Amino acid sequence: MLRLLKKTLLTGIVTEKIKAPTNDELEQLGIEIKRHIDKKFSGSIAIREVDAGSCNGCELEIHALNNPFYDIERFGIHLVASPRHADVLLVTGPVSRHMQTALLRTYEATPNPKWVVAAGDCAACGGEFGISYASCGAVSNVIPVDVVIPGCPPTPLALMKGLLGLMKN
Amino acid sequence: MNSTTANWQTAFFNQLVLKGCVVERISIASAMLWQIESRDWQLFAEQGLEEQLRWVAGWAEHNQSQFLVNACFEKQGLYLWLRTIITAEKPELPSQATVYPAASRSERHTRDMFGIEFIGHPDDRRWTRHKAWSENSYPLRKDFPVQGTPDHITPPDMDYPFVKSHGTGVYEIPVGPVHAGIIEPGHFRFQAVGELILNLEERLGYVHKGIEKIAEGRVPVSLARLAGRISGDTTVGHAWAACMAMEQAAGISIPPRAAFLRGILAERERVANHLGDMGAICNDVAFIFAQMQFTRIRELWLRTNAQLFGHRLLMDRIIPGGVACDLTDTGCALIRQDIVRLRNELADILMAVDLNSTLEDRLYTAGYLAPELAAAYGAVGYVGRASGQRFDVRKDAPYAPYDQISFKVAVEAQGDIASRFWVRNKEINSALKLIEKFIDLLPPGDIMTAWREPLAGSESLAAVEGWRGEIVSYVRFEADNKIARFYSRDPSIINWPALEKLVLDNIVPDFPVCNKSLNGSYSGNDL
Ligand code: SF4
């Protein structure tokens, strides 16, 4: 236990503040996102992530949003376990045909008002996979999309910028 | 791959001949191809099992009025590539899955995609096919259009005949395809009594994206991009395997510097993923301290990737003929510093982890995969190595740059989640040493060989050790530098079935950590 405390204390807080390289950007972004969330969503917003056919690269970067450097929960953004708790669906991948109904049902299960963010090149336009017998391509071919975040995969910072774009809409 | 016929191959060949099997040995770019009659397909497997060959991969190819059916085996680091040719009018041959359980899903995939019947297959249910195409159409036949004829909305796969169990107190838990966490989609069907798992069936295929089909007609650069997206966490591994196969088929060799840079990229990918997994395993037993520490050092590692190689996950750094990025002396120095820092951090964190009794309670003896079972399924990578299976392509069938250095393969023998946790730690240590050695030995020179268009029909099979384990890639070219057929066997394809076994007699709440300890790729499996 002492070791845990020691390591925790020695590590300190790495969550990035205004001065860290490139990350004053992060902090500014966060503050701005928080302002919008406070105003429009009374302080917090719930996001349900849906992999609709991704290669899993996008998921790795979405995961990174929760690491101590980005720690997006501090800006009021929560990644939740069910679409029924969500304001926003964050969808990755081209929509594989085998996931099409699952995505539609997830969308229906999300209470109104709801927003959809298509994260990654695949979700944005079909990416490397396009449209085929197995893939519906872009998320917007299946459900209405409010914001698109390009990148393969989008970096955690790009994901945060995209979410801010959604707030500003 | 080594193309010399080692002793076991000669003896095995004679054995087959004795059994009345006609074998034609054909030497192809990288490997020895044995072609047999289709009627001997199962006989070969029986003899192979006796000879203790490991079943590695299976795939087919449509060529006008014929199907070429392939399988790959391995023993003592020597690969044996097997082929038979059957007519399109009567596409059937005896199943190898009756002998090798590892071949089961592969044969079901081949049946779904080509309409080839494996006679005697113990499981006649579809596998990759859900409802995106009809029962009597086969996407990998050449006359199947890449766009297919899909419905406007593909219906859900409601009538898959899962195994049922009956009895007082037995109940079923269906999970997925959309899970609670940020993970890939797949379906798990549990039968349980109380909290105890009696049976688990995996139903995958949800992220099938038609990768094999859309690979056809691509040029090498474009295939490398696609291969790098078979499983995003293995972008280096898959791009390397695909490029190696294409390079062998085209008869070009990459510059020594490019090989060393590929080695550095691959080991960096291994370290990043193992850090992520170790954190995630801790998270699944609610040990958040470790999860936060591991994700923190992973993030630092990825930032160095972005700074030195221009991409956090290293996508598209490996290209046909070499690599797309070089390392400067300052870059090398930075990597060294990073490694020293990482080692110190890991030592601290692991000491805390090791002394934690909650973790010990949850990870030791849970999710046990017996070494015999791991061998029977041919489990690869850290899953195999945590259950005593030593095989590592880097060591046993070494390719450049691994053929120029010596290193130790990490093995654990207890086969539980703790083993799969600690074997990852050992692999990180050996990867860090490898990176240091590669930097020491980094030869000067070019990082690219000019591409040379291969002859139509050229083909090759390549194997590399991705971070999850052995990846095997097959390519065949047609005219104009275009791909006629591409297949890649992700290690997950081999390891997923082991999860169905290792969860038995565990409690349902331990399923997430069992699953994480194996961490199969859904995308890499579904293709
Ligand atoms: S955008 Fe890139 S990382 Fe994301 S799912 Fe598509 S290929 Fe993978």
Side-chain angles (χ1 to χ4, degrees):
Chain A
M1 196 62 207
L2 281 177
R3 279 180 199 279
L4 296 196
L5 291 174
K6 183 170 159 230
K7 181 69 187 166
T8 308
L9 287 173
L10 286 179
T11 305
I13 296 174
V14 298
T15 308
E16 295 188 324
K17 291 258 172 57
I18 303 167
K19 288 283 151 35
T22 75
N23 285 297
D24 36 347
E25 203 188 347
L26 170 63
E27 189 79 359
Q28 292 304 332
L29 244 175
I31 292 167
E32 213 179 321
I33 291 179
K34 183 79 179 92
R35 235 190 19 242
H36 284 278
I37 292 180
D38 283 346
K39 208 160 78 199
K40 295 189 189 154
F41 298 92
S42 337
S44 82
I45 186 174
I47 300 184
R48 169 67 222 174
E49 197 269 349
V50 186
D51 173 343
S54 135
C55 78
N56 79 28
C58 282
E59 278 57 41
L60 294 175
E61 294 296 55
I62 293 171
H63 260 293
L65 289 174
N66 275 327
N67 79 33
F69 285 92
Y70 303 101
D71 186 22
I72 55 157
E73 289 230 352
R74 69 190 151 134
F75 304 127
I77 300 174
H78 306 281
L79 287 154
V80 295
S82 165
R84 296 186 201 282
H85 306 156
D87 305 301
V88 175
L89 292 182
L90 179 64
V91 188
T92 64
V95 183
S96 72
R97 298 208 183 265
H98 291 168
M99 277 300 286
Q100 191 179 10
T101 307
L103 177 63
L104 283 165
R105 289 190 182 167
T106 307
Y107 182 74
E108 280 158 21
T110 313
N112 276 317
K114 57 190 161 197
W115 292 267
V116 175
V117 179
D121 287 349
C122 291
C125 67
E128 203 57 38
F129 305 100
I131 298 177
S132 73
Y133 78 93
S135 160
C136 307
V139 173
S140 60
N141 294 341
V142 178
I143 53 174
V145 168
D146 299 281
V147 165
V148 151
I149 308 177
C152 183
T155 60
L157 214 53
L159 287 165
M160 288 185 61
K161 283 186 189 158
L163 290 174
L164 177 63
L166 174 75
M167 314 289 159
K168 282 184 167 168
N169 261 352
Chain B
M1 279 177 215
N2 199 333
S3 61
T4 53
T5 309
N7 286 336
W8 73 258
Q9 287 199 343
T10 318
F12 184 51
F13 177 83
N14 294 335
Q15 168 86 12
L16 285 169
V17 173
L18 257 179
K19 292 275 169 188
C21 181
V22 185
V23 187
E24 191 185 340
R25 287 182 286 189
I26 308 164
S27 183
I28 288 192
S30 55
M32 182 60 77
L33 170 68
W34 291 17
Q35 192 162 308
I36 61 170
E37 306 267 340
S38 62
R39 65 179 153 87
D40 295 332
W41 197 247
Q42 195 169 58
L43 173 74
F44 183 97
E46 285 159 4
Q47 296 302 310
L49 189 67
E50 219 164 273
E51 185 67 32
Q52 294 184 313
L53 307 190
R54 176 172 62 93
W55 185 93
V56 173
W59 70 99
E61 189 181 353
H62 185 198
N63 183 6
Q64 290 160 359
S65 60
Q66 296 175 327
F67 290 110
L68 279 58
V69 183
N70 298 274
C72 178
F73 300 82
E74 180 272 338
K75 182 182 177 180
Q76 294 164 359
L78 274 185
Y79 285 91
L80 197 163
W81 175 6
L82 184 70
R83 172 175 288 167
T84 190
I85 299 178
I86 56 177
T87 64
E89 281 130 56
K90 200 163 175 260
E92 55 177 44
L93 72 168
S95 164
Q96 291 189 336
T98 48
V99 184
Y100 282 101
S104 175
R105 288 177 183 177
S106 166
E107 289 185 353
R108 289 165 71 190
H109 174 76
T110 299
R111 191 204 40 213
D112 288 353
M113 304 306 283
F114 289 93
I116 294 170
E117 283 304 322
F118 290 89
I119 298 173
H121 193 293
D123 187 346
D124 61 1
R125 295 171 300 168
R126 59 185 195 275
W127 177 244
T128 308
R129 179 169 63 82
H130 292 198
K131 303 280 175 178
W133 64 94
S134 69
E135 191 174 351
N136 301 315
S137 58
Y138 307 104
L140 287 178
R141 289 193 177 180
K142 295 287 181 189
D143 52 4
F144 185 100
V146 66
Q147 291 306 326
T149 45
D151 292 339
H152 178 58
I153 294 175
T154 302
D157 192 23
M158 295 299 285
D159 51 4
Y160 183 77
F162 285 99
V163 170
K164 297 264 176 245
S165 59
H166 307 277
T168 11
V170 181
Y171 64 100
E172 248 186 26
I173 315 172
V175 183
V178 178
H179 301 288
I182 305 171
I183 64 168
E184 299 180 77
H187 182 93
F188 299 107
R189 185 66 62 101
F190 297 94
Q191 271 100 27
V193 171
E195 289 204 306
L196 213 63
I197 301 173
L198 286 185
N199 187 47
L200 161 68
E201 235 191 299
E202 297 157 1
R203 175 79 181 120
L204 303 176
Y206 286 92
V207 286
H208 173 68
K209 294 184 276 291
I211 289 175
E212 292 169 89
K213 186 77 176 179
I214 61 175
E216 294 175 7
R218 289 188 178 225
V219 294
V221 178
S222 160
L223 183 73
R225 279 184 64 84
L226 181 66
R229 285 158 182 78
I230 288 173
S231 180
D233 51 19
T234 317
T235 182
V236 173
H238 274 288
W240 193 348
C243 286
M244 189 189 280
M246 289 192 284
E247 286 149 6
Q248 287 169 352
I252 69 167
S253 44
I254 62 168
R257 187 175 178 86
F260 277 82
L261 288 167
R262 283 183 179 183
I264 294 172
L265 294 168
E267 297 309 318
R268 289 195 69 89
E269 177 168 272
R270 191 179 320 278
V271 171
N273 281 297
H274 284 343
L275 289 174
D277 277 5
M278 289 170 80
I281 290 173
C282 293
N283 187 49
D284 278 342
V285 291
F287 190 43
I288 307 302
F289 159 83
Q291 149 84 344
M292 283 299 147
Q293 294 289 349
F294 280 113
T295 55
R296 180 177 62 81
I297 51 184
R298 177 183 148 93
E299 174 70 21
L300 291 170
W301 191 254
L302 298 188
R303 287 182 179 194
T304 306
N305 280 350
Q307 188 187 342
L308 296 180
F309 303 104
H311 194 286
R312 286 165 53 93
L313 305 182
L314 306 173
M315 274 180 170
D316 307 322
R317 303 302 95 176
I318 292 187
I319 51 176
V323 288
C325 52
D326 207 347
L327 257 185
T328 59
D329 289 348
T330 354
C332 292
L334 181 68
I335 291 182
R336 281 182 204 284
Q337 274 170 23
D338 242 25
I339 290 179
V340 173
R341 193 180 55 188
L342 182 68
R343 277 203 186 103
N344 290 335
E345 294 250 24
L346 266 178
D348 268 6
I349 300 168
L350 287 168
M351 180 68 89
V353 165
D354 206 12
L355 293 178
N356 187 284
S357 56
T358 5
L359 211 63
E360 209 175 285
D361 281 352
R362 297 292 302 275
L363 303 186
Y364 284 83
T365 71
Y368 175 65
L369 180 67
E372 307 78 58
L373 217 57
Y377 278 89
V380 292
Y382 51 78
V383 176
R385 288 194 286 271
S387 291
Q389 309 303 305
R390 277 185 181 274
F391 180 77
D392 185 318
V393 192
R394 296 173 297 173
K395 186 81 175 178
D396 298 305
Y399 45 100
Y402 299 100
D403 54 354
Q404 289 150 57
I405 38 114
S406 67
F407 74 105
K408 255 177 82 184
V409 173
V411 189
E412 293 263 333
Q414 318 87 271
D416 54 7
I417 299 177
S419 281
R420 290 189 285 280
F421 180 87
W422 290 109
V423 88
R424 280 168 164 101
N425 176 50
K426 289 186 182 170
E427 290 198 2
I428 291 179
N429 288 332
S430 92
L432 296 177
K433 282 195 202 129
L434 280 169
I435 298 174
E436 287 173 330
K437 282 190 194 161
F438 291 155
I439 289 181
D440 285 341
L441 297 172
L442 190 63
D446 290 339
I447 56 166
M448 269 286 286
T449 301
W451 187 251
R452 192 167 60 218
E453 194 177 308
L455 292 175
S458 316
E459 56 182 331
S460 189
L461 188 65
V464 304
E465 186 76 15
W467 74 273
R468 268 198 190 85
E470 173 199 52
I471 301 172
V472 176
S473 266
Y474 169 79
V475 292
R476 178 200 293 281
F477 280 96
E478 57 190 22
D480 302 324
N481 211 20
K482 291 205 176 122
I483 299 295
R485 176 81 174 106
F486 170 63
Y487 175 72
S488 200
R489 204 232 59 218
D490 189 88
S492 312
I493 293 179
I494 298 293
N495 287 347
W496 269 119
L499 180 66
E500 292 184 341
K501 301 293 170 210
L502 67 84
V503 296
L504 298 180
D505 292 334
N506 284 262
I507 54 172
V508 178
D510 271 352
F511 174 70
V513 67
C514 288
N515 190 14
K516 200 69 218 181
S517 74
L518 183 130
N519 192 14
S521 165
Y522 299 69
S523 183
N525 179 83
D526 297 350
L527 290 177

